[in-house]
Amino acid sequence: MSARGAPTLEVDPHATTPWQRLHPLSPIVRAGRHLVSVGAVVLAGVIGSQRAHGDHCWELVGIGVGIVAGIVAWLVTRWRLVDGVLHIESGLLNRSSSRYPLNRVQAIDIAQSGLARILGLAELHLRMAGGGDTGRLACLTLARATELRDELLVIARAERSPAGDGLQVSAAMPEALPPTGNAQDLGTGPPLVVTDTVRLVLGTLTSGVGLVAVIVCAAFAVGLAMFPSAARAIAAGGIWPVIGLAGALWKRFNGDYRLTVHATDAGFQLRSGLVQTASEMISRGRIQLVRLRQPLLWRRFGWCRVEVEVAGRKVKKENRAEGRASRPLLAVGSLEVGKAILSNVAPEAPECSLRPPRRACWKAPLSMRHLAIGSNQRYIAARRGRLEATTTWVPLAKVQSIRATEGPVQRRLGLATVHLDVAGSHACATLQDRDTREALDLLARLPAECAAGRRSPAT
Amino acid sequence: MATLNQFGEDEHWLRPSPQLWRMRRLQASIVAALAMAAAGAVVGIHTVWWLGLAAVAGVFCIALVALRALRRRVHSWQYLERDDDLMVAHGLMVRRLSVVPYGRMQFVDVVAGPFERIFGIATLHMHTAAAASDAVIPGLGAAESQRLRDALSRLGEAHAAGL
């Protein structure tokens, strides 16, 4: 439990502290993520308009209103500890007063955005059992945040132990808590994988939104080279898509930057981020589905990406990696590393070896070369995809419902598609274009096999 | 050649109440009538009156064909209560078949819109933790929807499993 080796704190769990405010610089940090977009808008306005300098009073008024709102928000936000319960009050018009009983805290995270790092501040996030609601103290100084986290943890343990209800999170808690906001130092043994930065840059630029950005930039360069006279018009017209793409690219890159995964018996400890860092604990039981993705260009380099789909509501977070239901375990890496991670997440996961009948190429000419399924007593595997090959593994114990579809073309060819749904928004394994007899057989035997999987959960 | 329709051929599938088709027919007729009026008015005002009449006739023919397809579509709904799960099948062009284990049902609700209330029917939704499993049975009579809802929630409790 106390592997952290920190000096034991003398904290009275039933103490009542006076109301306290957050750090006075916190409005700046909280506005931080909007500053970039505001700056971009102002910049675009300056470039795009022919107005004289000093004619930007509306922008100034907007910024002034934002500053005042930030200061007011800081003034009305306060927190205190009462008998093992954290009270947070905030809001001027929408007054909200939240209570976070510390005995039900699942994890306490310290997160630092880029601006907060410069100012030496940090945010404290309380993750409650049952998911959903997150208590946020933004921001405190890093030293105070660390101290407060340790204090809260001591109280949480003191509140929990006499009851003896043996919350399963208590064992996982030390791992769930980052020692500091710094992504480098972790005291829990060697990581399972650390994403290589050079490979991440190359990988991001050769797949998905990165590839689109590269193509758009190339198109602009060609346009500028061919029509130098129209440079201004091209720049004015192109600035918005470029800003949007750059934002999306940045989010993806930052979310995956130095993604470090530590595997424990309880689950996986993830941390990532260049400017906004995030850390998270995913327990093995929450994993609904594992996905191995091989975008078109990555297959030439033998690279892949491994993601897991996690049960629970989506929460909007600054760091993209935290906010989505699907979390990468490997942002980009070689296929061997991907397979190694897969065998850790889903031991004895089957290979995709059963190909669909040849006639499926009339219905799915592009995906035909990727289509395959595989299964054993615990998992179903399915590969599909036109340009990007995606292999999905679903534990039979997690299947929520089974659907079969048969379109008009499929009916003529004697094919059918079977979907296995798991918890989450449209997370499913799709066994695409199987022979209809095979699909009927799957429909007949899968419900019983899933029920068997539910009764004997992973050992 | 095998088709999805062959699944559970010898089982006793249940079908929605005939009121469902009456309701859909009324709704479709209202839409068709509005479309006919709009087409007739637009064409008739902008060209000559007999072209307007022709447009009305054209829309009427399209509506007849669409109504025939709709009829077959509505009659394609069927469901089957098995020991451990509920199966729902529907669709004509794209045939869909869902299997929802009782243990996975989070909750069941019965919804009746204004049209459905006029015809004395209701729609049953089964919700699981997966957003994709859209098990819906439309057009159940009042007694049948009550019976099914109670049976499903009882079976759901008996089979309940964690995530």
Side-chain angles (χ1 to χ4, degrees), chain A residues 285 288 311-312 359 396-408 411-417 421-428 435-437 439-441 443-444 447-448 451 454, chain B residues 1-8 82 84-88 90-106 127-135 159-163:
Chain A
Q288 305 284 320
R359 55 184 188 277
L396 287 175
K398 301 287 184 195
V399 171
Q400 296 281 335
S401 66
I402 301 163
R403 287 176 296 138
T405 54
E406 184 193 59
R411 184 158 33 239
R412 280 211 181 102
L413 295 169
L415 303 171
T417 299
D421 304 312
V422 295
S425 51
H426 293 272
C428 68
D435 186 279
T436 309
R437 268 184 297 273
L440 289 173
D441 176 50
L443 273 176
R454 283 199 293 277
Chain B
M1 199 180 281
T3 69
L4 271 192
N5 283 334
Q6 291 171 357
F7 192 81
R82 302 199 301 179
D84 298 313
D85 43 40
L86 183 93
M87 305 198 63
V88 186
H90 71 108
L92 214 63
M93 280 284 276
V94 181
R95 184 78 183 157
R96 296 171 199 277
L97 199 136
S98 309
V99 185
V100 185
Y102 297 131
R104 289 305 198 187
M105 277 178 210
Q106 305 245 310
H127 300 267
T128 69
S133 52
D134 54 340
H159 287 73
L163 275 184

Side-chain angles (χ1 to χ4, degrees), chain A residues 72-124:
Chain A
V72 169
W74 173 75
L75 277 173
V76 298
T77 306
R78 53 184 192 165
W79 61 273
R80 69 171 175 178
L81 271 169
V82 178
D83 199 13
V85 180
L86 180 69
H87 294 203
I88 302 178
E89 285 191 356
S90 64
L92 179 67
L93 299 177
N94 266 332
R95 193 112 184 100
S96 84
S97 166
S98 316
R99 304 270 184 283
Y100 298 96
L102 292 176
N103 57 357
R104 281 198 277 144
V105 165
Q106 198 153 27
I108 306 180
D109 293 350
I110 291 180
Q112 274 186 303
S113 64
L115 206 56
R117 272 180 152 183
I118 295 168
L119 297 170
L121 301 180
E123 281 181 30
L124 212 60

